[in-house]
Amino acid sequence: MGYLGEPVCQVDDEMDGPVGPETSATLDIPEEILMKIFRWSTDEEDRVKPLLTLQLVCKRWLQIVDSAPTLWATINVLDGWKTTAMALKKSRERLIDIIYRPNKHGINLEDFLWQTVNKIGQWRSVDFESLELLPRYSALQTTVPRSLERLCMACRSGFWFKTPTVQLFGGAPAPRSLLHVSIRHVMVALESLELANLRFLELDVSTQMTFVDLWRIIEQSPHLTSLALKLEHLWLPDSQLPQDPLGPVHLSALSYLSISLPTPATTLILSSIRTPVLTVLNIQCNLKNKPVLSSLFTSATSHLIPSISSIISLAKDISITYQKDHPRGYILSMKVGNLNLELNAGSRRTSLDKCAETLVKWFAEHSLPYITALPASLRFDGVNPSLEDVWILNSTLQVKCLNLEELPGSPPLKIRFGLKAPHPTFSEWLFPNLETLNYDISSIAIPRLVEILTSRYAHLS
């Protein structure tokens, strides 16, 4: 059929069939099959314009496309006023998907919503991404879309945090059909929505809610399969911070969990939920120079060990990165299969070293011995390693890849390599299984590099 953005042929009003022999075979294709082909060959977010092209192929296709409201159920502002108005009309009584993006037509979000508000009872999904500093979302603030299944709201303005909080649905509970909620950089009051049937929840620096409000949402959403929380401004006053785990709350269907919260909130959530089928775990938190075991992996979170063991059981390697990030401080990142940890160790380099040592020992000691057999990759990004830094990693992990760079004030090359053990009487090289070395060094250091490589590997030639 060719590219759908270009007409294949023109419809002839005097003919009962298609123009040209190249389309004659389509007469034998059942209408149901053609409908599936049309859906598969057009993008969900950009379907209307290709449909206009399909109508030009032959009279039969024109009739099928024109009489199929499900094909016109995507209302995308990028198509412009005329085309979206036509799609709204042709969708008839079908559920529709509303998509708004910054656009060349000069259509603002408020006007676009009001164009579709007379069909708000047919909204199946709404996906808004706006550059506007003060979008009003009036249609969503006053009416409950009774058939809504998916709600995505995002603001790309750098001043989103100055916008007023949006109260959805006039303060009424969300429709029970709502399964998917994604809020990014929009101030939304979620506490009153009673999201009992929710399957997917993503909150990305989106609201100045309290921890109590956040926990209430989690408690009320037992069917969640995916939970992603990035709330840097979560309000967590000491007076509201429980000293003991909450719950427990059983999230028996949760398979994906990503948390970027203040450390006390992260620990409370991890200690209070039960996730027997978890397959992906991402944790990002700021330890603020505090020990990782007393801040994150405590006795209260030990129930997660079977889940973590299951998550990393299929891992093929382990990756650890030491990083100095301005102005955040020293960052330790660790990736093992579908387990991803990014821990801000604080402003002191010693906190970074201690965090790495403690974390590796914790994994090795808590019934996860096979992690020590995985091929490991170490990266030092903006950080000068020393022999003492890597000694615990050498004795615990099978390091196969080492990534280093030459930095101002670097220790001698032999120390930067970390190839010799820290004890003079110990003759073996560190990282005996090393296979790959990526080393960004100055030309002055090259002779020393060659000397060390020759000393270590000459016996293999």
Side-chain angles (χ1 to χ4, degrees):
M1 184 169 60
Y3 174 57
L4 290 179
E6 300 175 355
V8 178
C9 55
Q10 300 294 323
V11 174
D12 189 335
D13 289 336
E14 298 298 321
M15 299 186 65
D16 294 328
V19 176
E22 71 277 8
T23 58
S24 60
T26 64
L27 293 174
D28 299 326
I29 301 177
E31 183 173 324
E32 310 81 58
I33 301 299
L34 277 176
M35 288 279 291
K36 291 183 179 180
I37 292 174
F38 294 161
R39 279 196 292 267
W40 291 339
S41 60
T42 55
D43 187 88
E44 287 187 5
E45 291 194 8
D46 186 21
R47 176 165 288 167
V48 174
K49 289 184 178 179
L51 289 178
L52 298 177
T53 301
L54 289 172
Q55 287 184 307
L56 296 176
V57 174
C58 64
K59 276 191 173 181
R60 183 172 182 237
W61 284 25
L62 171 63
Q63 293 167 354
I64 292 174
V65 172
D66 197 56
S67 62
T70 55
L71 293 178
W72 301 93
T74 299
I75 313 300
N76 193 332
V77 71
L78 298 180
D79 292 326
W81 280 127
K82 183 177 180 180
T83 305
T84 55
M86 179 181 62
L88 281 168
K89 181 179 179 181
K90 290 181 179 293
S91 63
R92 300 189 183 98
E93 304 302 319
R94 296 288 182 175
L95 296 180
I96 57 178
D97 303 311
I98 309 295
I99 300 173
Y100 180 87
R101 298 287 185 270
N103 60 90
K104 64 181 181 181
H105 306 290
I107 305 172
N108 63 46
L109 176 57
E110 184 75 1
D111 291 342
F112 181 66
L113 285 181
W114 280 116
Q115 186 195 31
T116 64
V117 74
N118 63 326
K119 286 199 170 188
I120 196 168
Q122 296 170 230
W123 287 7
R124 175 173 53 195
S125 71
V126 289
D127 187 347
F128 306 148
E129 186 173 305
S130 175
L131 287 171
E132 300 168 42
L133 182 57
L134 292 172
R136 288 176 288 173
Y137 309 105
S138 298
L140 281 171
Q141 288 184 271
T142 57
T143 311
V144 179
R146 294 297 178 186
S147 301
L148 192 65
E149 299 175 8
R150 186 172 183 268
L151 173 64
C152 299
M153 303 173 67
C155 179
R156 287 164 52 184
S157 168
F159 299 95
W160 63 269
F161 52 87
K162 295 185 178 181
T163 61
T165 299
V166 177
Q167 179 71 61
L168 296 175
F169 315 142
R176 293 185 60 81
S177 58
L178 188 58
L179 304 177
H180 180 120
V181 172
S182 174
I183 310 293
R184 293 181 290 118
H185 294 193
V186 180
M187 305 297 287
V188 177
L190 298 173
E191 304 82 68
S192 63
L193 296 185
E194 300 181 15
L195 303 168
N197 290 326
L198 210 57
R199 294 333 191 244
F200 178 103
L201 177 61
E202 177 189 26
L203 302 178
D204 185 352
V205 284
S206 53
T207 177
Q208 291 179 338
M209 65 170 59
T210 67
F211 177 80
V212 172
D213 293 330
L214 174 61
W215 182 248
R216 186 178 299 117
I217 293 173
I218 295 175
E219 279 187 310
Q220 294 175 350
S221 307
H223 305 297
L224 281 169
T225 61
S226 178
L227 177 61
L229 304 172
K230 188 176 181 181
L231 300 171
E232 298 175 358
H233 303 287
L234 186 71
W235 187 39
L236 193 66
D238 292 339
S239 60
Q240 289 193 3
L241 185 62
Q243 299 303 313
D244 299 314
L246 306 166
V249 170
H250 293 271
L251 301 177
S252 58
L254 191 71
S255 61
Y256 178 94
L257 177 61
S258 181
I259 298 180
S260 179
L261 302 170
T263 303
T266 298
T267 304
L268 270 176
I269 289 178
L270 292 178
S271 63
S272 304
I273 61 175
R274 301 297 182 267
T275 56
V277 298
L278 196 64
T279 57
V280 178
L281 177 59
N282 302 321
I283 300 175
Q284 182 181 21
C285 69
N286 189 346
L287 300 177
K288 297 182 178 179
N289 298 312
K290 296 180 180 178
V292 64
L293 292 188
S294 63
S295 301
L296 189 60
F297 294 110
T298 67
S299 58
T301 60
S302 60
H303 66 274
L304 286 172
I305 292 176
S307 293
I308 293 176
S309 177
S310 177
I311 289 171
I312 67 177
S313 62
L314 298 179
K316 296 181 179 180
D317 53 33
I318 176 173
S319 174
I320 297 178
T321 300
Y322 290 71
Q323 179 184 9
K324 187 174 184 180
D325 181 271
H326 298 285
R328 292 194 298 164
Y330 290 97
I331 310 294
L332 178 72
S333 300
M334 180 176 178
K335 177 176 174 56
V336 192
N338 287 331
L339 173 68
N340 297 279
L341 303 176
E342 183 179 305
L343 308 178
N344 187 331
S347 58
R348 298 195 296 266
R349 172 59 199 275
T350 53
S351 298
L352 176 65
D353 300 334
K354 189 63 177 178
C355 181
E357 177 182 350
T358 304
L359 199 59
V360 170
K361 283 184 176 180
W362 186 88
F363 275 94
E365 293 172 0
H366 283 80
S367 303
L368 306 172
Y370 49 84
I371 199 173
T372 61
L374 292 175
S377 172
L378 300 183
R379 175 178 294 275
F380 293 85
D381 186 0
V383 175
N384 282 324
S386 67
L387 290 175
E388 288 74 16
D389 295 337
V390 297
W391 176 243
I392 181 63
L393 303 180
N394 171 76
S395 61
T396 308
L397 301 177
Q398 302 294 322
V399 177
K400 296 292 185 73
C401 179
L402 187 60
N403 297 274
L404 301 171
E405 62 178 326
E406 192 79 10
L407 296 172
S410 297
L413 184 66
K414 190 173 293 188
I415 303 297
R416 294 271 291 135
F417 251 130
L419 296 179
K420 278 290 187 181
H423 306 293
T425 58
F426 196 86
S427 59
E428 294 183 9
W429 295 100
L430 286 178
F431 307 134
N433 299 302
L434 191 67
E435 297 175 354
T436 303
L437 174 65
N438 298 313
Y439 201 172
D440 180 14
I441 62 174
S442 65
S443 58
I444 299 176
I446 290 178
R448 288 179 291 168
L449 172 61
V450 172
E451 179 185 349
I452 292 175
L453 290 175
T454 301
S455 175
R456 175 165 180 166
Y457 297 109
H459 69 283
L460 299 176
S461 58

